[in-house]
Amino acid sequence: MRSWVEGANEPDLNHLPYGAFRKEDDVRLCVRIGAWLLDIAACEKDGLLDSLTANVRDACCQPSLNALLSLGPEAWHALRHRLRELLEDTAPGDIQTRVDWFLYPLHEAQLVLPVDAGGYTDFYASLHHARRVGELFRPDNPLLPNYKHVPIAYNGRASSLVAGGTPVRRPRGQRRPVSEGAQPEFAPSYALDYELELAFVIGQGNVLGEPIPIANAREHLFGVMLLNDWSARDVQAWEYQPLGPFLGKSFATSVAPWITPMAALEPFRVAPVAREPGDPQPLPYLVEAADLRNGAFDIEVEVLLSTEASRAAGLEPMLVSHGSTRELYWTASQMVAHHTSNGCNLRPGDLLATGTISGPQRESAGCLLELTRNGVEAITLPNGERRAWLQDGDEVTLRARCEREGLPTVVLGECVARIHPALQTLSPAR
Amino acid sequence: MRSWVEGANEPDLNHLPYGAFRKEDDVRLCVRIGAWLLDIAACEKDGLLDSLTANVRDACCQPSLNALLSLGPEAWHALRHRLRELLEDTAPGDIQTRVDWFLYPLHEAQLVLPVDAGGYTDFYASLHHARRVGELFRPDNPLLPNYKHVPIAYNGRASSLVAGGTPVRRPRGQRRPVSEGAQPEFAPSYALDYELELAFVIGQGNVLGEPIPIANAREHLFGVMLLNDWSARDVQAWEYQPLGPFLGKSFATSVAPWITPMAALEPFRVAPVAREPGDPQPLPYLVEAADLRNGAFDIEVEVLLSTEASRAAGLEPMLVSHGSTRELYWTASQMVAHHTSNGCNLRPGDLLATGTISGPQRESAGCLLELTRNGVEAITLPNGERRAWLQDGDEVTLRARCEREGLPTVVLGECVARIHPALQTLSPAR
C-alpha cells in the first residue's frame, strides 16, 4: 500500500488523522498525509466523495467533525476507506490530478480544533499517578479505598480547551495563607505544571437515562488526541476541598490538533497491565471479555521541554519523561461504561481524558508534581537548567507513537504549547 | 402601567421572563405575559420589531437565547423595552390586533430550555449549607479553612441539564462497601436528594486569558432561573474523594424553563447578610463598593414536595423548606470575578449556580441531606408520610418570589420534576 502523494509513505496512508484548518474565512476539515493536508470539503465539492451517502458528504463540509461523529462507525469507515482510495497509488491518474489541487503544505496551515467538545471529562486512570500523588499528601494512606473500584473522574472545563500551538498564559489565583490566620495571597501561580494525557473523542453519544454497556463502548469511540491538562498546583491545593479542582485547571487545557482514528490504533491493542496481586475484581458493569483481552493500548508517550535558554542554544526539546498508556488501570471502555452508568449522556465530540499517564518508575511520571515531589526536588534538565515548576517561556511538547514489529508505526499529532507571563494586574474595570 | 392582554397585570408586564417553546418542527423564543406566551420570532417576522437593530432582530429568530445573550445589555434592554411597548395598554389598537395573533395559551405550550448552556458551574455559596454538611462529615472541623476566602465551586455536567417538567430517572451507581474488604454495591441510589439553587445566566462572555473585574461583572449577567441539582448521596459519598462530585450529580440537573431578566430583579437587590463577626475581608479582586452595597438579592425560595399518596389524596404540594437568597455568602458578581480570575472564559448561556441555598435555621435548609441529617432523621410531611430521601413518584417543586412594599411582585418560573424508577438492569449489550 503506497501513496502517490509526494513524500508520503505507508504509515502516513495508514494513519490519516483528522484535523481542521482555516481557509480564508472558513474552517475546513482535513486529513494529514505526509507533509500535506487534504481539504475534505473541497474533495466533496469536486465530486470526489460522490460514492458516499449524502449525510456523510454533508458532514464533510461542516466546520467541525461533530456531524460526522454523530453518524457512527459505518460512516467513519466509509469516509476513511474513500480517502485512502483517493490517496493510494492505485488511484486513476485523473483522480490524482483532481485530488492534488486540494493538498496544502502542512507548515503553512493554521490548524484549529477539529471537534467542538461540549463536555471534557478528566479521569484519574493511572494507578501510579494516583499513588504517587497520594504519597505526597497522605503518606500513611496514599491510595484511597475507592480507587480500585471506581474509575475516578471529574468534569473539566470545556470552554478553555485550546488547540496545541496556542500560547498559555500563566494564571493568577489564590494560594494558601503562609500561616494560620494570615490572608491568602492572590498572585501569579508559581507552581505551574503540565499533565501528560490522552483524550478519547466520543463519536455517537447516548440518550440521557440510557447507559452504554461496556460491550458497546468501543463503537462510541472515534479517536484519540494528546492532551495537556495544565495545572496550577498552588491554586489547586488551596481550592480543591471539598469539591475538587476548579481554577487550578480551568485557565487552559491544550489538545493536539490531530485526531488519530481508532481504526489506526486497533492493531496496537493490548491487555491492561496495571492490575496487582490481590486487586479486587471490578464490578460486573466494568468487566467484559474483549476489554480484559485487549482493552488497553500500547502507546509510548513522552514529555519534552524546551526553555528560553535551550532554544537560544539551538537545542532540540529535551526529554523529561517517557511511559506507556498500557500502564493505565482503567480502559477507555471502562471509562465510557462508568461515565454513563448513572444515565449521564455523552455527546459527539465529548472528550474523555485519561488523567496523567504515569508508569511505575519515577522517570515515567507524567507531571512535575510527581517528578519533583511537589516542587521540593527540582529536576535537572539535559542542558543543566533546573526546574521545580514551569517557568515563563518554557514550551512543553507531548509526543506519542505506536510501534510493533511488522506494522507501520503510528505517530500521533504532537501537543505543543508555550507558557506566557501572567497578567501583571487584573484588567482595569471599564 | 397596564397590559391589554387578557388577565395580565402589572407584575406580569414588569417581569416578562424569557422562554422557548416547540411550534411544529421549530423551537421559538417567547416571553410570558399572564397566562400567555408571546412568540418573539413571529413578532419579528410581522415587522413588529422593526425599530430594533438587525442583529437583535436576527437573534430573536434563533432557537435559543444565546445569540441575544452575546449582544450584551444594550440589546437586551432594547428588546425588553420594545416588547413592553407592544404589550402595554398604550399600544395602538392595530398593534394590539397584530400582537394578539402571536399569543398562545401557556398551558398548551411545550416548553424547552431557552439557552444552550455550554458550561454549568456549581458554586457552594451558602455558608449555612457548607457548615451543616461539614458538621455531618467532619464534626470537629465543619467549615474548611478556605471557605471564607474562596468562592468554592466545581464544574457540573452540562449535557444532562433538562428543562423542568422532564421526568428524572433514579440513577444506579456504586456505593461504599458495607465493611472493609467487601465489594461495593452497584444498585439504584437509595439516597436521592434535591438541591434548591438559583442559576445565573451569563450574557456576554470574556476572552480566554482576560478576567472580568468585579466592577464589570453585573453587565455579564443576563438573568436567573431556579435549578434543582439532583444528588445521589450514596454514590457521591463513595466517589467524591479526591476529585469532587461526578456521577452522584451528572444523571440530571433540572432548570426552570423561564429566565427572569436581571432588569426585573434589580429592585430587589440588598446587601449580603451572611458575614459574621471576625470574618476575613475577601481579597481585593472579590471586593467592590456596589457589590458590598447591594450585591445580593432578596428572593424568597421554597421547596415543595408531592408524593403519589398526597396527589391521590388531592393535596397540593407540601412545603418542605423556605429561605432567602440574601443568606448567601458570595454574590453573583463575586462568582463571575472569581470564575474568570485565572483567565477562564465564560460564554453566553453558561450557568453559574449558587449551590444549595440554606439559611441559618434548620427549616431553611435547601436539601434533604441537611434536613434529615444524612438520612438519619426522617422528616414528617404535612400528610403524615415520612421521608429520609426521595422515593419514586415524588415530585419536587422549587418556587421563588421577590416581594417589597410598593413594588410589583416578581414570581420566578417554577422548577418542577418527578422521580421515575431506576432501570432495573443496565440495558443489554447489542
Side-chain angles (χ1 to χ4, degrees), chain A residues 45-379:
Chain A
K45 287 183 210 313
D46 194 61
L48 288 161
L49 306 182
D50 281 357
S51 58
L52 303 175
T53 58
N55 54 4
V56 176
R57 295 204 314 272
D58 183 58
C60 288
C61 300
Q62 303 301 315
S64 85
L65 284 165
N66 289 46
L68 179 67
L69 302 185
S70 71
L71 297 177
E74 271 184 54
W76 314 336
H77 292 152
L79 176 59
R80 183 169 157 86
H81 180 76
R82 179 59 184 157
L83 291 171
R84 278 164 71 147
E85 278 182 351
L86 297 177
L87 295 166
E88 282 176 29
D89 61 5
T90 51
D94 64 312
I95 294 284
Q96 295 185 21
T97 305
R98 284 160 68 191
V99 171
D100 197 37
W101 274 101
F102 310 129
L103 289 172
Y104 298 90
L106 206 51
H107 65 90
E108 290 177 8
Q110 191 190 345
L111 298 172
V112 300
L113 280 189
V115 286
D116 182 11
Y120 157 43
T121 302
D122 203 18
F123 280 82
Y124 200 50
S126 165
L127 169 71
H128 306 290
H129 173 65
R131 183 177 282 147
R132 267 199 298 262
V133 170
E135 279 165 1
L136 292 170
F137 301 112
R138 295 177 306 271
D140 296 337
N141 179 27
L143 202 65
L144 291 167
N146 56 11
Y147 188 84
K148 291 182 174 178
H149 298 284
V150 182
I152 297 289
Y154 70 101
N155 301 305
R157 175 81 190 171
S159 75
S160 48
L161 289 164
V162 293
T166 310
V168 169
R169 192 190 288 287
R170 179 183 300 272
R172 291 161 62 90
Q174 280 197 42
R175 66 176 71 123
R176 192 185 299 281
V178 289
S179 62
E180 210 177 320
Q183 276 285 81
E185 201 181 357
F186 184 83
S189 167
Y190 67 80
L192 191 55
D193 201 356
Y194 59 82
E195 289 191 340
L196 162 64
E197 305 197 10
L198 192 70
F200 291 89
V201 181
I202 295 297
Q204 283 183 307
N206 61 306
V207 173
L208 183 64
E210 299 185 6
I212 298 173
I214 188 166
N216 296 352
R218 288 188 190 184
E219 67 200 56
H220 291 268
L221 300 173
F222 175 77
V224 301
M225 301 189 283
L226 282 165
L227 179 147
N228 183 342
D229 185 36
W230 303 99
S231 300
R233 301 298 186 187
D234 43 355
V235 176
Q236 185 182 351
W238 173 231
E239 75 174 354
Y240 91 108
Q241 288 285 13
L243 299 181
F246 184 54
L247 298 188
K249 302 276 193 175
S250 64
F251 56 94
T253 305
S254 300
V255 285
W258 294 105
I259 301 180
T260 296
M262 298 311 291
L265 282 183
E266 286 297 326
F268 303 96
R269 284 190 171 276
V270 291
V273 299
R275 291 290 178 286
E276 297 174 337
D279 275 3
Q281 175 80 351
L283 286 168
Y285 78 98
L286 296 172
V287 179
E288 190 238 357
D291 197 51
L292 289 169
R293 190 167 64 244
N294 62 10
F297 292 93
D298 191 8
I299 308 176
E300 292 167 53
V301 287
E302 297 181 339
V303 179
L304 301 101
L305 186 64
S306 81
T307 68
E308 284 187 357
S310 76
R311 291 189 299 272
L315 298 177
E316 291 293 303
M318 301 171 285
L319 186 69
V320 177
S321 71
H322 57 93
S324 166
T325 60
R326 69 184 299 173
E327 302 284 359
L328 297 173
Y329 200 83
W330 300 106
T331 67
S333 290
Q334 288 174 319
M335 294 178 202
V336 168
H338 183 66
H339 203 314
T340 63
S341 63
N342 68 344
C344 179
N345 53 331
L346 297 175
R347 295 186 292 198
D350 283 354
L351 302 187
L352 271 52
T354 56
T356 306
I357 303 166
S358 294
Q361 297 83 26
R362 181 122 176 236
E363 64 266 27
S364 57
C367 61
L368 289 174
L369 177 67
E370 290 176 63
L371 285 172
T372 70
R373 301 196 198 275
N374 198 20
V376 171
E377 302 172 18
I379 55 169

Side-chain angles (χ1 to χ4, degrees), chain B residues 330-348:
Chain B
W330 300 107
T331 68
S333 290
Q334 288 175 318
M335 293 179 203
V336 168
H338 183 67
H339 203 316
T340 63
S341 63
N342 69 344
C344 180
N345 54 331
L346 297 175
R347 296 187 291 198

